Amino acid sequence: MIQRTPFADTFTYVLMALGFVLLIGPFIVILAGASQTLQQVNSVPFRFVPQDHLLENAAAAWSRASLGTAMMNSLIMASLVTVGKVALSACTAFAIVFFRTPLKHFFFWMVFITLMLPLEVRVVPTYAVAADLFQPFRLLIAALTGIEVSVEWNLLNSYAGLTLPLIATATGTFLYRQFFMTLPDELAEAARMDGSGPARFFFDMLLPLSRTNMLALTTIMFVYGWNQYLWPLLMITDPAYKTTMMSLVALLPSENGTPDWNVTLAGSLIIMAPPLIVVAVLQRWFIRGLVATEK
Amino acid sequence: MADIDIRAVHKSYGKTKTLHGVDLSFASGEFVVILGPSGCGKSTLLRMIAGLEEITAGEIAINGRIVNTLEPRERGCAMVFQNYALYPHMTVAGNIGYALKVAGVPKAERDRRIEETAKIVGLSDYLTRRPAALSGGQRQRVAMARAIIREPKVFLFDEPLSNLDAKLRVTMRAEIRKLHQRLSATSVFVTHDQVEAMTLADKLVVMNKGHVEQVGQPLDIYHRPASVFVASFIGSPAMNLFETRVETGAATVRFGGAQVPIDGALAAQLRGKDIIVGIRPEQCVVVQPGNGVSAKVDFVEELGSGRVVHAEIDGQPFAAVIGEEMRVRPGDRISLELPPSQLHVFDRDSGRRIEFEAVPRAPQNAAEAPVLAIVE
Amino acid sequence: MADIDIRAVHKSYGKTKTLHGVDLSFASGEFVVILGPSGCGKSTLLRMIAGLEEITAGEIAINGRIVNTLEPRERGCAMVFQNYALYPHMTVAGNIGYALKVAGVPKAERDRRIEETAKIVGLSDYLTRRPAALSGGQRQRVAMARAIIREPKVFLFDEPLSNLDAKLRVTMRAEIRKLHQRLSATSVFVTHDQVEAMTLADKLVVMNKGHVEQVGQPLDIYHRPASVFVASFIGSPAMNLFETRVETGAATVRFGGAQVPIDGALAAQLRGKDIIVGIRPEQCVVVQPGNGVSAKVDFVEELGSGRVVHAEIDGQPFAAVIGEEMRVRPGDRISLELPPSQLHVFDRDSGRRIEFEAVPRAPQNAAEAPVLAIVE
Amino acid sequence: EKTKFEFWYGLSGDLSERVQDACKKFNESQADYEIVCTSQNGYDTTLQNTIAAYRAKKQPAITQIYDAGTLDLMLSGAFVPARKLMADNGYTIDWNNYFSGIANYYATSTGELNSFPFNSSTAMFYYNADAFQKAGIDFKPDTWEQVEEAARKLKAAGYECPLGFNFDPWPMLEQFSAIHNQPIATKANGYEGLDAELVFNKTKFVDHVKFFKKMADEKLFVVKTKQLGMDILPSFTSQTCQMIQTSIADHGTIGKTLPEGVKWDVAMLPVWKSTERQNSLVGGASLWVMAGRPEAEYKGAAAFLNYIATPEMAEWWSTVTGYIPVTKTGFDAMKAGGFYDKAPYKGRERAIESLAYTPTSQNTRGIRLGGFTQIRKEVSTSLEAIFMQNADVQAELDQAVERGNTVLRRFEKTYAGQKLN
Amino acid sequence: MDKRAVFKSWWLPILFALPQIALILLFFYWPAVAVMRWAFTLEPPFGGAAEFVGWANFQDVFADPFYWNSVGVSLIFAFCGTASTIVVGLVLALAVDRQLPGSGLFRFLYILPYAIAGPAAGMAFRFILSPERGLMASVNAVFPDFWNPAKYGSHALVLVIVIFAWKWAGYTFIFLLAGLQSVPRALTEAAAMDGAGPIRRAVDIQIPMLAPTLFFLLVIMMTEGFVGADTFGIVHHTTGGGPNHGTEVMVFRIVDEAFKGLNYSGASAQSIVLIGLIMVFTFIQFRFIEKRVHYK
Ligand SMILES: Nc1ncnc2c1ncn2[C@@H]1O[C@H](COP(=O)(O)OP(=O)(O)OP(=O)(O)O)[C@@H](O)[C@H]1O
Ligand SMILES: Nc1ncnc2c1ncn2[C@@H]1O[C@H](COP(=O)(O)OP(=O)(O)OP(=O)(O)O)[C@@H](O)[C@H]1O
Ligand SMILES: O=P(O)(O)OC[C@H](O)CO
Ligand SMILES: [Mg+2]
Ligand SMILES: [Mg+2]
């Protein structure tokens, strides 16, 4: 469009620059702070120029908060959540979309409702369930047969406990459902005409076709898994299973008084890095995934 | 190659009825076209033959065997979908060969047959491409190849040409026809394009609102539409139709200030009846002013190869095709003769055709068949 | 009302050139149709006139004023978009009146003009509806009203009918024409539908691949296509074209086992030249076997109102329109006469028309104008 | 194969390291058991995690519960009483050897110890002697009147923060009430029944808070919290503030953290003039043995508890932390050894002095209230409102009492039918 | 919502859905049942026999002024958080949608904060907006106590909202940008021909066309603000609900009440009220707002 709008253009750049300052500025402050010495980081006014102490601060943070184990655990947790969610969601969405069973709508709503109630709201009893996974079954069996079974399975302080309750929500299922709904009916019909059964269709058609969605969901779930805070906080008492979010506390300037924010910020930079990298790298799919979940 | 019998077939989606008792039978090797406006149930019928849709009531038999409960793959039908439904993540070869792969045909044999089939549809050079990298016509061909490779007894086409541009459509039409001749499978072709229907069909089925309106050869249907619906649906520009009443005295109707005679054997019986009279724009003849029905010209469309006069008679729009040599301008008054032999008469209540003389056929005398006239 | 001058206009998107020097000039009040295949640059040209697209090189003047750098709103053009681009969140009245609102026209005055305009396009009863609650034709009318209310000097239409069904298209075509007559603004109408182009245009511009192929009156273009491209693009079924060489002896070409004479004033100069000869299917005449060009019938398309014989001559496809009374079947051999006056000759290298006699016009004698012949 | 068992504790930072040392020592001392010690980073989280783990049947064999959680544990039925454990496992402990002031806090009405006093402390008053000298203060701050005077002088001498304080109710409410013989709740601070009600909104505590408020308004007393960037302890060790009241447990840390050569001292908490000082409350935590563990673990737990109660370990523990020895013999041994005369440890004996200042009364025996964590939170919230948002002292304290009573009533109802023993 | 093309097997869908359904039953519905049970009993902290108390827990909750305080805080948090994320996202989306040179880079950058966990962002902002260092120190030096989230509840609330908005603005930005880009270009062109300049077009055409997206974001962000993982993480890590309950959002209060206050029953009652609130909100939003936003 022919537009002679120097004012509007300038204004647009000003807005975008302002957005940059607001949204990316904090990263710069963190980076600057994380690369300064104790004196520099505490000087008023703050100097936004990064210095060259990043590595030593990072090393200090790494050992103070034992970030080695924490990063590993977070990585395992985020990966498990991602893989579990991606796999289960695809299966469930397939069942919901491509079959006409009497229970379909029931399942659909059952899954849908979970969208509205995140873990935070039902964290207390979820904890109890994680502590004694088979309790419902025991109660069920006892109620049905009167027999007291004594099998127990405890998920506290385990990767299963960290991840399973997080996998048990519907976000991914919905992403897949939306995608499956956009596939033309004829695709399944053509496959049927070609003699393919449902399972074959799932593996031959749906999975390869949903690659983009998988990447999107991977990004979303990795960020989600990595950033979990409350659940590990409650769930993990064994330091061997501590996640990065839990080590944040250890990173805060210690109470002995040294306000070594440079170390704190360096540590937080380390903790932020993996999801940041994932989002930056998979951004294209991630955005597509985000937007696809909308409709 | 198989014959298909459709007996009293009904279809309902929940409470909405889509097909209300369809009876049809297609002979082996026939090219059947099902024509009808959008939403009339064409696709539904086709999909029921394919086994993609449950049959609510009635039965469908292929080669004498009732297939109501058979899975699609057990029916020996192949289908070409409107949007082709190619598998976007597979190559052309993968698309064509998928049915064989599912059937467990060994790779070598499969590759051989894929190549063979690709040759038939002229895709040999494209086997390793993805559908996204193909043009519309090529995609269409892949869809056909995918059907052909299965050597089906029945070919089903659901508006396979409607996504192509006008030129390609003509070409592909010819190709489908040729293919049919070559493979000699029974073909059922669904469309809402009357030109497609007329040019392709051995047998034409006209549907409307879940009913079959008329079955027959295309030209028969063009010349003797069985109902007002068929009359207005087939032919372009559409047949002129006007509601009127046959005079009680002579068997004529008043129209555009003139008495138009309804002649023929049964004409007398029509006296005093409410009817709808139709005439195709091509059959109207411009005569000296005062001699026929008087029409006021609204505008004229030049088609190069002819012109269509859009006029008004008794306040109703009326179209007539006239030769190029006549100078007609908006606002002019012209006189039209409506040859009685070319009139179609329909019952006003039922909309069904009233057969009042043998068959109103194409003009038979030399004067009306000008091109040949020169030659003779 | 304004005239438009387009001078040596080029358009590039990055490195791809879309328009390569277009020179056109439209007179005030003219109805210009730009016709061309998809992707030829029609919309680009239109949008450059509108100010929606930058002009890479050359200039466009409206009423003598060069508008290259003017914003759309400063050019006094109104545009009807292909999919209407109605504001879905505004009522019909809101849509129609938006331009006035932006211009700060007081509410009372605005309402008056909205009503006036709505009346013109027959939308008075729909003013409070949202576009979503309108039919295709009504939406089209809103789009028109939105353009009309601004009393533009220039009306631009970008395929405004292509989203309508066949029937509505015919109606709206007529309405646009009427409106143009009434408003007497200069109109530029883009389409790829040749029927639309033929029926609407005062002046027809045929474009191809970013070039203007021909400019002229529709019938002129139909009868004297300036290039092979125009010849094949206009007319349906398309003109038969075959490459050949004029005999060095007589001014004839060999075709289908016969000598077809190329007569006319300049014919002698063509001897020994490589040319392309074209003839419209409607102009071929079936003659007694042995008398003309021999053709093998491939298949016949029944259109009801006529039939198209698809045949083969010298291995090339060839179409001819014949009357209904002739029985022709696939495989038959027929003889065709190609009247020399109806032949179009093109240079084989440049594809441009070679004018070898005055004007090959529509048949002038009564025998060739059969319908009227009866009357006279 | 060693029998492994878990020990959760709430100490963090430096003190956490010392616990780990103790665990290591124990593991090295014998071949049958292995204790796995895990810090839960705070007393309240330890209680919280212990409960969660108990509900999940994943409780540790031993857990460290602070004073405030005592009643919560006592009524839980989720523990093995200390005396029973030791008896069952064949250890003989001289239960009377514990300081009565300490034992009383954790013992039943019959004097039976349910848990093992481990890290006991009391609140003390720390001041920077160098600053006092520079400001020309020549007295020790024994009374709050003197504290005020010192504060004024310090201020006059240019010290920005004469006294730093936070909203921790332990020194401010609990210890203050004890040494001034004020009740916190009826029924002997809850020892005599679950139907106790909070009353601290009607005691001298109210005036005390008002005094603090006045001082704060005059910028003589300054709020120092983590949220504001620096808690009281660093404010003292960084010499920002010259006086603080905090646990004797911090004595070690302060000594280590203050720059070499800075003179500082520790005193008993000040009292108001003309008040008869009472003994202060024992703070810190005790070790509980949780029920529901395999028998073998109890053997190990008993061995561990026995191990840390040995005089050598008790002395080591008191040396490396600021905690006071919990047994009389331990204390005597250390005193005899001249421990309290040596430089870094000098002054710690005042904690015991404070604890043993008078025989315990109804108001100084301890606090036996359910959900006391929550009550503390209500109090500190009120204090925060008073000092940060200028809320009315009486109204805020009334509210804290009212809300605290709600907690008590819910607790009473939850354990309806249970008797305090 | 039904697909026409479906397979007929009845056991296969069950097999496919089973893993997730099982997880949902176990970790969602079963806990939900427990919440219900606890809400009507007095659950002892260490477990054991719990007494049925009817609505008493709810009465306690409703009688508690701090509960209502947390409702208010949550409302402010969710509303302001939602409003600021949407406004910032919208402004940036409108700017980037103009597709001036370089805007692609900005688009790439704006989404990055979304990757950051609430607590981590909280920690960073504690430094960045700390009253004694960082940016605000200079301001505070001139106007003492101009900014002191440790002291003033309102400042603290602003702080957590800023963190929330920072993290989520990129998210709304992406949706709004996608929404803008799906507005047919012809519409803005039509408006341009009708004489509207860029700002007028934004206000008259683009923003109204975004209504469905805005509505969607409204629902999502309100839910996120009320019960989102980040809401808890931010509050817990940045202010711990203080000062003086100033930032005590409902989720925080629930967790705090349950795990710190050992009052599982009261917490469960609050959970149920919260769930009810979310449902009411969602309902209101769908019932009254959605009606106005769909054109097609
Ligand atoms: N799955 C379905 N559920 C409910 N109604 C349906 C379903 N499929 C089709 N219909 C309805 O049945 C009728 C016939 O549909 P059908 O697809 O057979 O029409 P059609 O003749 O093929 O039309 P078109 O030319 O538009 O493809 C339509 O009114 C349609 O709305
Ligand atoms: N924004 C653009 N960037 C790059 N190429 C473009 C752009 N817009 C159009 N083109 C190219 O310019 C050529 C002409 O496009 P234009 O839209 O003018 O064609 P058209 O004649 O209107 O075709 P149609 O009938 O399909 O609308 C096409 O090849 C198209 O791909
Ligand atoms: O800091 P401590 O270990 O002395 O403990 C202080 C209080 O007793 C905690 O409630
Ligand atoms: Mg259909
Ligand atoms: Mg175009």
Side-chain angles (χ1 to χ4, degrees), chain C residues 139-160:
Chain C
R139 285 182 208 182
Q140 223 278 329
R141 284 197 187 95
V142 178
M144 307 254 285
R146 197 168 62 177
I148 295 167
I149 202 170
R150 293 178 45 212
E151 298 171 355
K153 294 175 290 180
V154 178
F155 254 113
L156 305 173
F157 298 89
D158 193 357
E159 311 200 14

Side-chain angles (χ1 to χ4, degrees), chain D residues 11 43 66-68 119 121 170 247 249 283-284 323 376:
Chain D
L11 298 171
Y43 286 133
Y66 63 166
D67 46 5
N119 55 323
S121 67
W170 182 59
S247 169
Y323 287 109
R376 273 190 181 170

Side-chain angles (χ1 to χ4, degrees), chain C residues 6-316:
Chain C
I6 297 166
R7 300 184 202 118
V9 160
H10 286 74
K11 175 75 193 178
S12 315
Y13 291 106
K15 275 194 195 94
T16 54
K17 290 203 153 197
T18 298
L19 292 182
H20 319 81
V22 171
D23 281 284
L24 287 168
S25 102
F26 307 147
S28 211
E30 219 169 15
F31 199 112
V32 180
V33 175
I34 302 180
L35 173 70
S38 185
C40 72
K42 307 179 295 292
S43 298
T44 306
L45 185 59
L46 194 76
R47 292 162 52 76
M48 283 161 98
I49 300 174
L52 295 174
E53 209 78 69
E54 306 265 353
I55 297 168
T56 310
E59 57 190 34
I60 294 180
I62 298 180
N63 254 353
R65 180 176 175 211
I66 291 174
V67 296
N68 282 30
T69 58
L70 292 192
E71 291 196 23
R73 57 181 153 180
E74 300 164 321
R75 298 193 183 198
C77 303
M79 183 147 165
V80 178
F81 291 83
Q82 173 165 2
N83 41 17
Y84 320 140
L86 301 186
Y87 311 129
H89 56 296
M90 299 183 187
T91 60
V92 168
N95 267 279
I96 298 178
Y98 183 66
L100 301 188
K101 193 169 159 196
V102 172
V105 175
K107 177 121 182 49
E109 153 91 353
R110 208 160 73 211
D111 286 348
R112 193 182 54 70
R113 279 177 63 186
I114 290 173
E115 259 173 53
E116 231 175 70
T117 315
K119 209 150 145 217
I120 297 178
V121 296
L123 280 173
S124 304
D125 296 343
Y126 299 89
L127 283 177
T128 56
R129 290 217 194 152
R130 289 269 165 85
L134 298 178
S135 72
Q138 289 165 337
R139 285 182 208 182
Q140 223 278 329
R141 284 197 187 95
V142 178
M144 307 254 285
R146 197 168 62 177
I148 295 167
I149 202 170
R150 293 178 45 212
E151 298 171 355
K153 294 175 290 180
V154 178
F155 254 113
L156 305 173
F157 298 89
D158 193 357
E159 311 200 14
L161 304 179
S162 60
N163 282 351
L164 302 178
D165 68 32
K167 249 181 192 155
L168 198 53
R169 204 138 69 203
V170 174
T171 323
M172 293 309 299
R173 210 151 79 192
E175 293 197 10
I176 287 181
R177 190 69 231 205
K178 278 190 209 156
L179 199 74
H180 171 74
Q181 277 156 11
R182 170 170 183 168
L183 300 176
S184 67
T186 312
S187 299
V188 184
F189 185 106
V190 157
T191 181
H192 60 243
D193 180 318
Q194 56 131 340
V195 174
E196 229 163 84
M198 295 292 291
T199 52
L200 278 172
D202 291 333
K203 174 182 273 173
L204 181 58
V205 177
V206 183
M207 285 185 68
N208 185 28
K209 294 187 188 155
H211 290 284
V212 172
E213 289 269 340
Q214 189 169 6
V215 184
Q217 282 183 27
L219 283 182
D220 272 357
I221 293 181
Y222 181 84
H223 291 299
R224 294 180 57 212
S227 65
V228 173
F229 171 78
V230 178
S232 68
F233 194 71
I234 289 181
S236 169
M239 184 187 283
N240 297 299
L241 291 164
F242 44 93
E243 302 192 344
T244 183
R245 164 182 292 216
V246 184
E247 312 274 300
T248 43
T252 58
V253 294
R254 283 208 69 79
F255 190 53
Q259 296 285 348
V260 178
I262 306 278
D263 55 21
L266 302 176
Q269 301 178 4
L270 293 177
R271 287 194 187 140
K273 240 189 142 157
D274 282 339
I275 58 167
I276 295 175
V277 174
I279 183 158
R280 296 211 178 272
E282 310 88 279
Q283 311 294 4
C284 303
V285 181
V286 180
V287 293
Q288 299 302 4
N291 274 354
V293 175
S294 163
K296 181 157 158 283
V297 176
D298 249 358
F299 62 99
V300 181
E301 289 187 332
E302 296 289 351
L303 303 175
S305 58
R307 53 209 334 204
V308 181
V309 176
H310 292 269
E312 221 174 60
I313 301 182
D314 292 353
Q316 289 176 44

Side-chain angles (χ1 to χ4, degrees), chain B residues 1-55:
Chain B
M1 208 147 138
D3 48 27
I4 301 172
D5 278 298
I6 297 167
R7 300 184 201 118
V9 160
H10 286 76
K11 176 73 194 181
S12 316
Y13 291 106
K15 276 196 194 89
T16 55
K17 291 204 152 198
T18 298
L19 293 183
H20 318 80
V22 170
D23 280 284
L24 287 168
S25 101
F26 307 148
S28 207
E30 220 170 14
F31 199 113
V32 179
V33 174
I34 303 179
L35 175 70
S38 187
C40 72
K42 307 179 296 291
S43 297
T44 306
L45 184 60
L46 194 75
R47 293 160 45 75
M48 284 161 96
I49 299 174
L52 294 173
E53 206 79 69
E54 306 263 353
I55 297 168

